[in-house]
Amino acid sequence: MIRYSCRGDHEGSIALGKSLSEFWRPFISLPANEFHSLQQAVENEGGRSSHAFLVGKVLRTAGLFHVTVGDTKTAVHLARTNATIYSNSRWMKKAVASENIVALLWEGLVERRWSESQLTQFDRLLAPINALRNLKPELRHRRALSLRSFDKDMLKQIHFKRLVRPWLEDFTGPWSKLQLSKNTQEALSIADIPDPAERHQSRRISKAKPENSLKLVHPGWLISTAGKHYHRT
Amino acid sequence: MAYFHSRQALSSHLESLTTTARLAHQRQTNVDLARIAIATERFRSATGAYPQQQAMLTPTYIDAIPQDNITGKPLQHRLHGERFIIYSLGWNATDDGGVPDKRSEPGDWGWRYPDDHVDQWKFENSS
C-alpha cells in the first residue's frame, strides 16, 4: 500500500498490484459504434452516476505504466465519445480530470518510477484536458434546471411558461432579458464566470445575513446562500 | 410561504452552481499541477537537481507553464532538499502555505509528499 495525497479530504491508499482496468481493456479497440452501444448498456443498467463510477474505478489502477496509460486513454475516449451527451460529458470530464489520475502520477513521482519517455507520454495525455472549457455552458445548464424548478413552484402562469420553455430548450444560446420575468432576471445575473485574473479580488464573508441569501452580487460572480457568500471587493 | 420555500430551493440550487465551479477549477488545477510536476521531474532527471524557478522548465520540459486558475498568476513552487511543493492558492485565493483544504477548512490545492511536510513549509515561511 502506498499513501497518496492530492487533497486533504481525499487522502487514501491504493492497493498496488490490483487493477480494475480489466473490465474495460477488451473494449478499447472496439469500433466507435460498438463502443457507444456499450456505453448505452452501462447507462441503461445504472445511469450516468454508475457510468462515472465505473470510469472512476478504471482510473484507480495499480500504478503500472501501461495500465495507467491504457486507462487514461479509455477515459479520454469515453469523454470524447460522450461529448454530445451533455450530462454525461460533465461526469466524464470530472472522471478524467479527477484526482485519480493525479494520484497515480503522484505515486510514480514519489518513487521516481517513471522514465523520461513515460513522463512525456503522461504530459501528452494531460495537456488537452481542460475542465474549464465548458464550464460556462454547464453552469448555464444547471442554472436553467434550477430556474425551471423554481418557476414551477412559484409561477404557474401559462404565459410565463410559454416564454420560458423555448429558452430552457436552448439553454446554451444567448438569453434575452425580455424573455424572462423580473424575478428570474435577478437570479440570472450571477452565473457568468469572471475572468480568472479578477477572481483574486473575491473574498469570503463569513457571516451572512439570511435576508441576503439571494442577494446576487457582481456582474459576474456567484453566490449566495447563508454562510457562504462570495462577493467582489 | 410558497414564495419563501421557492427562494430556499433556488438558494440551494445556486449553491450547487458554486460547488460545480469550484470543483471544475480544482480538477483543472490538479491536472495543471501534475503537468508541472512531470516537467519538474524530467528536469531533475536531466540535470540532477530540481529547478529553482518554474521558468527554467520552458520550453524544454513543458511548452507553457499553466497559471493558477484562481489568481491568474503563477502557481506557487518551492523546493526543500530532495522534495518540492507546488500548489494553487485555492478557492479562498489566500496563500495558506500549501496546507491542503478540507471540507470544513479552506486551504490550498497542491501536491505534497506522503510525509506531512506542509507544516514544516509553513513554519519555514513564517520564520
Side-chain angles (χ1 to χ4, degrees):
Chain A
M1 306 286 280
I2 183 169
R3 297 285 297 176
Y4 69 91
S5 176
C6 303
R7 289 181 52 199
D9 56 348
H10 277 75
E11 291 182 352
S13 300
I14 294 179
L16 293 178
K18 182 180 179 182
S19 172
L20 294 169
S21 66
E22 297 306 317
F23 177 80
W24 288 104
R25 180 91 32 220
F27 306 114
I28 293 177
S29 58
L30 282 178
N33 57 340
E34 295 183 25
F35 199 83
H36 184 70
S37 300
L38 173 66
Q39 293 175 256
Q40 290 298 318
V42 176
E43 283 290 309
N44 295 335
E45 285 185 8
R48 59 175 181 259
S49 296
S50 175
H51 200 169
F53 176 71
L54 284 175
V55 175
K57 291 178 77 174
V58 169
L59 293 173
R60 293 189 197 93
T61 49
L64 301 175
F65 174 72
H66 68 283
V67 176
T68 306
V69 170
D71 290 343
T72 306
K73 286 181 178 178
T74 306
V76 171
H77 189 175
L78 284 169
R80 289 175 177 169
T81 309
N82 277 285
T84 56
I85 307 174
Y86 192 79
S87 58
N88 277 354
S89 173
R90 178 163 57 88
W91 282 103
M92 291 302 104
K93 280 184 293 185
K94 287 182 178 180
V96 169
S98 70
E99 51 275 352
N100 294 318
I101 287 179
V102 180
L104 293 168
L105 291 170
W106 187 231
E107 286 181 16
L109 287 173
V110 169
E111 299 180 346
R112 294 179 176 172
R113 184 194 308 154
W114 310 128
S115 67
E116 169 72 14
S117 62
Q118 290 171 339
L119 289 171
T120 304
Q121 290 184 58
F122 276 130
D123 185 60
R124 197 174 300 143
L125 286 170
L126 292 174
I129 294 177
N130 187 349
L132 304 179
R133 182 182 300 149
N134 294 321
L135 178 60
K136 195 168 184 176
E138 178 177 334
L139 287 183
R140 285 182 171 178
H141 177 200
R142 295 175 70 90
R143 181 175 61 177
L145 294 177
S146 301
L147 291 169
R148 181 170 61 179
S149 63
F150 175 68
D151 295 331
K152 182 179 178 182
D153 293 337
M154 184 176 175
L155 298 171
K156 301 183 182 300
Q157 293 90 337
I158 295 177
H159 72 279
F160 182 79
K161 287 184 177 179
R162 190 163 56 234
L163 289 173
V164 171
R165 192 182 196 90
W167 164 69
L168 288 174
E169 291 174 350
D170 185 23
F171 53 79
T172 58
W175 295 338
S176 167
K177 288 187 176 181
L178 296 177
Q179 293 178 288
L180 307 172
S181 71
K182 181 181 178 181
N183 290 324
T184 311
Q185 282 183 43
E186 182 187 16
L188 286 179
S189 64
I190 63 162
D192 288 328
I193 302 300
D195 185 88
E198 299 177 6
R199 282 278 310 284
H200 71 282
Q201 298 179 8
S202 301
R203 65 186 177 90
R204 182 173 179 170
I205 301 176
S206 58
K207 293 183 179 180
K209 297 179 180 179
E211 59 267 28
N212 288 338
S213 62
L214 280 179
K215 185 175 182 180
L216 307 176
V217 288
H218 167 48
W221 195 230
L222 302 177
I223 227 152
S224 81
T225 55
K228 291 184 178 181
H229 281 225
Y230 293 86
H231 83 169
R232 302 178 66 203
T233 56
Chain B
M1 183 59 74
Y3 180 75
F4 173 78
H5 286 302
S6 297
R7 288 178 69 90
Q8 290 294 315
L10 182 59
S11 174
S12 174
H13 284 298
L14 292 177
E15 184 176 0
S16 74
L17 290 178
T18 304
T19 302
T20 300
R22 180 176 59 80
L23 290 178
H25 281 83
Q26 190 167 18
R27 285 175 172 123
Q28 184 59 42
T29 298
N30 282 339
V31 172
D32 293 342
L33 292 173
R35 292 194 65 209
I36 294 178
I38 288 171
T40 303
E41 185 63 20
R42 291 178 62 201
F43 185 98
R44 186 201 62 80
S45 297
T47 66
Y50 288 119
Q52 296 295 323
Q53 298 175 347
Q54 289 183 29
M56 299 170 69
L57 299 173
T58 56
T60 306
Y61 302 101
I62 191 170
D63 49 356
I65 297 177
Q67 301 291 300
D68 191 330
N69 291 312
I70 301 300
T71 64
K73 298 177 181 177
L75 292 157
Q76 304 297 311
H77 174 255
R78 293 167 190 169
L79 295 177
H80 179 66
E82 289 296 311
R83 298 189 168 186
F84 64 90
I85 181 173
I86 48 177
Y87 60 92
S88 160
L89 298 190
W91 198 241
N92 63 353
T94 302
D95 191 342
D96 298 301
V99 177
D101 69 342
K102 297 184 178 181
R103 295 188 189 282
S104 57
E105 301 173 6
D108 298 328
W109 301 338
W111 288 64
R112 61 186 175 94
Y113 280 83
D115 299 335
D116 190 5
H117 284 259
V118 175
D119 291 339
Q120 185 178 358
W121 281 110
K122 194 173 184 180
F123 174 78
E124 290 177 352
N125 291 333
S126 60
S127 61

